[in-house]
Amino acid sequence: MWRKNVHASIIDCHTHTNFSDGESSFEENVRAAAAKGCRVLVSTDHLTLPASMDPRCECQVSARDLPAHQAAFDAARELAAQIAPDMDFIFGFECDWYPGCERNVAQWAHNAQVKLGSVH
């Protein structure tokens, strides 16, 4: 649940990790956000994409890596609770649109709190 007093605060709703096309880990993102006083941090790695969009799996969380991705987020959420208890750390995905994606998004991002829509 989002906290009510986040006005005039730093809110980052579009972040990536090294599970998709980012360079940092969840933990590194949490530490950086906490150091800057961020009140809301939303993780939005690119959800699994079809081979036609990302043939070498370079910018997505592949379906086989989804469990490890969730576990790494959960560990970073514990860290966030320790070092930045006032920061909301929210699990999400950037869900790129492609023909027929709806079923995959529903299956692979079923536990996401945020689904950031994206058409590239």
Side-chain angles (χ1 to χ4, degrees):
M1 187 72 195
W2 292 60
R3 294 193 174 98
K4 294 180 182 182
N5 296 323
V6 294
H7 63 285
S9 299
I10 299 171
I11 298 172
D12 190 342
C13 294
H14 189 180
T15 65
H16 297 294
T17 71
N18 49 17
F19 274 96
S20 67
D21 60 348
E23 295 181 12
S24 302
S25 67
F26 284 115
E27 180 181 319
E28 291 168 322
N29 286 352
V30 163
R31 289 186 186 282
K36 297 293 183 184
C38 186
R39 292 294 308 272
V40 178
L41 178 64
V42 183
S43 177
T44 53
D45 279 322
H46 288 273
L47 190 59
T48 305
L49 296 167
S52 63
M53 292 179 72
D54 187 20
R56 292 182 287 193
C57 297
E58 293 175 325
C59 71
Q60 63 176 299
V61 180
S62 66
R64 74 176 179 277
D65 289 338
L66 288 170
H69 181 266
Q70 180 72 57
F73 175 86
D74 291 342
R77 180 178 268 171
E78 289 180 22
L79 173 67
Q82 293 171 10
I83 67 170
D86 290 334
M87 181 174 71
D88 288 320
F89 185 38
I90 299 171
F91 185 68
F93 281 106
E94 182 171 352
C95 302
D96 295 88
W97 185 89
Y98 54 90
C101 69
E102 294 81 7
R103 175 176 276 165
N104 291 340
V105 169
Q107 176 186 349
W108 293 329
H110 69 278
N111 57 345
Q113 293 171 279
V114 171
K115 294 176 187 170
L116 179 64
S118 182
V119 178
H120 288 61

